[in-house]
Amino acid sequence: MGGERPKKRRRVPLRDRARYRFDRTLARSAGSLMGWLVVSCLAVVVPVSALLVWTDPGAPPSLSGRLTAVWRSSAETLRLGAVDGTPLRMLLAALLGLVALLCVSTLVGVITTGLAERLAELSRGRSTVLEEGHAVVLGWSDQVFTVVAELVAAQVPHRPRAVVLLADVDKTEMERALAAHVGPSGRTRLICRSGPASDPGVLALVSPRTARTVLVLPSGEPTADAEVLRTLLALRAVLGEDAEGPPVLAAVRDDQYRAAARLAAGPRGTVLETDTVTARLIAQCVRRPGLSLVLRDLLDFAGDEFHLADADAFHGRPFGAALLGHAGACVVGLLTPQGRTLLNPPADTAITPGSRLIILARDEEAARPEDCRHLVERPVIATAPPHPEDAAHVLLLGWNRRAPLVVDQLRRTARPGSVLDVVTDRSVPTPAREPEPSGAARLSVRFQSAALSRPETLLGFDLTPYDGTVVLGPDPGDGPDRPDDRTLVTLLALRLVEERTGRQLRVVTELTDDRNRPLAPLDPGSDVIVSGELTGLLMAQIAQNRHLAAVFDELFSADGSTICLRPAGHYVCPGSVTTFATVVAAARDRGECAIGYRRHDRRATPPDHGVRLNPHKAERREWSPDDQVIVVATDPPTPPTPGPPIPNPTREDAPPAHHREHASD
């Protein structure tokens, strides 16, 4: 059997082989290049120096003397022209100086290049962070500025010593953006690292094992939720199954990713659904004007916020006794020894050993117990029952991915007989009519197509019968314009309607960029909801104390206890001068927890617009009939009424040329 003949090996010249090996050696590292430069320098300097010494008539006769002279000549090679004598000697000296100068210059260039590469690597943010007790923020979006600013503003000892950010963005760009939006960070160090957070190798650079808390932010891209899920899985791979790892807080937009994100985050993880939270707040602001101002003040670290305080002084006593047990803090709930959160529990709920109080205060130092019962003035407490809320007629302008959630929240919280008119420039499919349950329907939803981008469209509407108006902008990417541009056009048209009719409209507006808030043509004190800012504030609060996640979840839900603004006349006689402790006692008698008030005469005065949270129990003031008391309360239960599913139209659904109206009960 014959086989293939071996190929004849090509002969490579020795010169090419030497050059190849030399190039391969240089390609290894800068150190190899430096080594070759040293060898080349010595290979020229030493022989030439020896030749100069041996040709010098005055050279020492002994071998040791000549070697010493060779060493001295080699060390002084930069003294160009220092050797005299015959022309050959001078030529050799000049050659020696030039070669040495070339070698030294090349060596300096190599060192400079190596340092530049190292500095460039550091500027790319690929070095390991050696910190402990720091906050790790993964991802980059508009929310990052709110989160970092609130972490920096947190009260000591809750403020982290360092905030480490990891995102697939240039490190220098992140540092410049943070400096522009956040400003000076004081004693908190801001450390940026660049790279994909979903890569476990890159994620290990920010040392999540030694972190105090880890926050995962969604980006503005369509695949943001999937990227959050991958980041959580990478974090789990880095941390392992260690139950003692840092608390993890993540946010997703779509509900279909929430269950998977919770599994990936692990037992110490908390996942927020941003679209649902935003929709709940919009629906609540329709019924409670000014609620967004209260929540903005409540969520930032500039004023009073929620804390956990010891309940040792109230063991064995009812919860109602704790409401008047602090002069500089407002008690709103209990954290049981089993970790269960009770927001606004019944006043007779017993406080057991191991329980902690959920309070609203500037800091934990304000939670010192102090009996305030002597400040209550019973004669001025109102005794008349409050009037029940009437059915509402609401107008919703615009449509986006959160609109079905807003409609669903309005349907769950509306009073029987309420009406919601939806006007959108998209074609909304008519939902199938379902049989009405016994009794009146809670909410009738009617859809109408109109060109909202044209101001004259709204000028033709009769807005007189509406109790409130909700303005929603399109989703990012649904057109060449920015989402807030369409919203601002709609708000301008509504302002023109107000000027023509002389009637002030109650408007709840959703914006995507907080920088557009001053541009919105709205009355001072109107409800403006920026979903990214809201999510950032929530994440910063929960990052400081993960037990607050259950508190905020109940406050933003359609069921359970929520924050309400109610007329002061429900609690004290209008025009009376009394203490805030009296208002707290009156709210306690109605099964509520009073946490502040809003002055009517300062509703249009920035920056607080009349909102005052956690006043001192001894504060005395005259309570106007138009003032409002801010309470944590449970709305009167309303029997649930099922409604048809709310469609979510796509951009491909072109609106008809004429107005089309239909209703679904």
Side-chain angles (χ1 to χ4, degrees):
M1 295 180 59
E4 294 184 0
R5 298 180 59 184
K7 295 182 179 179
K8 186 176 181 181
R9 186 174 182 179
R10 183 173 63 91
R11 298 184 61 182
V12 180
L14 178 62
R15 179 181 178 182
D16 293 344
R17 290 201 302 269
R19 178 177 297 177
Y20 171 71
R21 292 180 180 178
F22 179 74
D23 294 343
R24 189 175 60 182
T25 304
L26 293 182
R28 292 177 181 175
S29 63
S32 300
L33 178 58
M34 293 175 59
W36 275 110
L37 287 174
V38 172
V39 171
S40 301
C41 182
L42 294 177
V44 175
V45 171
V46 174
V48 174
S49 298
L51 183 61
L52 286 174
V53 171
W54 255 265
T55 57
D56 185 5
S62 63
L63 179 61
S64 59
R66 293 193 175 189
L67 292 178
T68 302
V70 170
W71 168 256
R72 186 181 302 109
S73 178
S74 300
E76 298 177 354
T77 52
L78 288 180
R79 292 186 302 168
L80 191 63
V83 178
D84 54 4
T86 63
L88 178 60
R89 287 174 48 80
M90 297 178 63
L91 180 61
L92 292 175
L95 176 63
L96 183 61
L98 292 175
V99 170
L101 181 62
L102 177 62
C103 292
V104 171
S105 301
T106 306
L107 183 62
V108 171
V110 170
I111 295 176
T112 304
T113 302
L115 289 176
E117 291 179 353
R118 179 58 178 170
L119 292 176
E121 182 179 354
L122 292 176
S123 66
R124 288 194 296 267
R126 301 308 294 268
S127 60
T128 303
V129 175
L130 300 179
E131 294 283 347
E132 292 185 3
H134 56 295
V136 175
V137 180
L138 306 177
W140 187 263
S141 65
D142 293 338
Q143 303 164 6
V144 72
F145 306 117
T146 302
V147 170
V148 174
E150 292 303 311
L151 291 177
V152 170
Q155 300 295 328
V156 179
H158 300 293
R159 180 189 304 156
R161 294 178 301 175
V163 178
V164 182
L165 297 96
L166 173 62
D168 201 6
V169 182
D170 182 72
K171 177 177 178 290
T172 305
E173 181 181 344
M174 288 192 288
E175 292 173 343
R176 290 176 179 174
L178 289 172
H181 290 81
V182 178
S185 58
R187 297 183 178 181
T188 303
R189 299 187 303 276
L190 301 183
I191 305 172
C192 297
R193 291 294 180 263
S194 181
S198 57
D199 185 348
V202 176
L203 186 57
L205 297 177
V206 297
S207 301
R209 285 182 174 273
T210 59
R212 178 182 178 183
T213 183
V214 179
L215 298 90
V216 184
L217 305 181
S219 65
E221 301 297 329
T223 59
D225 289 347
E227 185 64 24
V228 168
L229 184 59
R230 287 194 293 267
T231 301
L232 290 174
L233 292 174
L235 188 62
R236 188 165 187 165
V238 173
L239 298 177
E241 301 297 332
D242 187 6
E244 299 299 326
V248 178
L249 178 60
V252 296
R253 297 185 309 183
D254 198 331
D255 180 64
Q256 66 177 345
Y257 283 93
R258 187 175 184 181
R262 282 181 172 177
L263 291 175
R268 294 178 60 84
T270 303
V271 179
L272 300 179
E273 189 183 346
T274 59
D275 283 357
T276 300
V277 172
T278 303
R280 288 173 177 175
L281 180 56
I282 292 174
Q284 291 180 7
C285 288
V286 173
R287 299 172 51 207
R288 305 162 189 149
L291 179 60
S292 66
L293 302 174
V294 176
L295 289 175
R296 184 183 177 92
D297 191 4
L298 182 65
L299 292 176
D300 64 32
F301 285 104
D304 297 86
E305 60 269 354
F306 287 128
H307 297 278
L308 294 179
D310 292 331
D312 298 341
F314 304 96
H315 287 170
R317 301 174 62 185
F319 173 75
L323 296 179
L324 290 170
H326 300 82
C330 293
V331 179
V332 298
L334 286 174
L335 179 66
T336 67
Q338 295 76 27
R340 182 185 176 192
T341 301
L342 301 178
L343 197 61
N344 186 34
D348 58 355
T349 302
I351 301 178
T352 59
S355 298
R356 304 189 71 185
L357 296 176
I358 303 174
I359 64 170
L360 177 65
R362 178 166 294 274
D363 51 46
E364 296 179 1
E365 296 295 330
R368 292 190 297 269
E370 181 179 346
D371 193 355
C372 300
R373 288 178 293 179
H374 64 283
L375 299 174
V376 178
E377 301 172 349
R378 283 285 174 183
V380 300
I381 294 180
T383 57
H387 298 287
E389 294 185 18
D390 299 327
H393 197 174
V394 181
L395 175 65
L396 191 152
L397 302 175
W399 196 268
N400 55 28
R401 69 172 187 269
R402 288 169 296 281
L405 300 175
V406 173
V407 175
D408 180 66
Q409 291 295 318
L410 290 173
R411 173 176 283 153
R412 297 175 61 183
T413 59
R415 295 295 176 245
S418 298
V419 178
L420 173 65
D421 288 331
V422 180
V423 181
T424 174
D425 52 6
R426 294 182 176 186
S427 179
V428 181
T430 306
R433 180 182 296 271
E434 294 190 0
E436 288 190 4
S438 59
R442 290 181 62 180
L443 181 68
S444 176
V445 184
R446 302 183 300 192
F447 294 88
Q448 181 174 340
S449 296
L452 293 178
S453 58
R454 303 174 63 88
E456 56 268 22
T457 301
L458 288 179
L459 297 179
F461 279 85
D462 180 16
L463 303 180
T464 304
Y466 295 106
D467 301 303
T469 303
V470 180
V471 180
L472 301 180
D475 292 318
D478 282 0
D481 300 331
R482 289 172 292 186
D484 289 347
D485 294 343
R486 297 274 297 275
T487 304
L488 295 176
V489 171
T490 304
L491 294 176
L492 281 172
L494 291 176
R495 171 53 64 91
L496 185 57
V497 170
E498 288 181 328
E499 294 177 353
R500 289 187 177 183
T501 61
R503 179 176 180 267
Q504 184 177 355
L505 302 175
R506 285 171 41 186
V507 180
V508 181
T509 307
E510 179 196 25
L511 295 176
T512 60
D513 192 343
D514 186 60
R515 291 173 294 183
N516 293 326
R517 187 192 299 265
L519 307 180
L522 292 168
D523 294 325
S526 298
D527 290 291
V528 179
I529 298 166
V530 183
S531 57
E533 180 194 38
L534 173 65
T535 303
L537 291 173
L538 274 173
M539 296 187 74
Q541 287 283 344
I542 299 174
Q544 301 304 316
N545 191 335
R546 65 191 188 100
H547 294 292
L548 297 180
V551 175
F552 291 117
D553 185 61
E554 183 171 351
L555 288 178
F556 285 100
S557 67
D559 307 317
S561 298
T562 59
I563 296 178
C564 304
L565 290 86
R566 292 178 173 168
H570 289 184
Y571 305 92
V572 295
C573 298
S576 61
V577 179
T578 186
T579 62
F580 183 68
T582 305
V583 176
V584 173
R588 181 186 61 181
D589 295 342
R590 297 180 182 274
E592 303 169 353
C593 299
I595 62 174
Y597 59 85
R598 187 182 187 190
R599 294 177 52 176
H600 182 267
D601 58 343
R602 294 182 57 88
R603 295 173 67 91
T605 305
D608 57 5
H609 298 282
V611 174
R612 176 82 161 89
L613 291 179
N614 187 34
H616 197 276
K617 297 296 190 301
E619 178 182 319
R620 296 180 64 87
R621 61 180 305 271
E622 180 179 354
W623 297 88
S624 166
D626 296 321
D627 290 341
Q628 293 176 305
V629 176
I630 306 171
V631 297
V632 177
T634 304
D635 282 343
T638 305
T641 300
I646 302 301
N648 194 356
T650 59
R651 184 167 176 81
E652 287 73 15
D653 296 325
H658 60 281
H659 291 185
R660 177 171 52 88
E661 185 174 339
H662 53 267
S664 62
D665 294 337

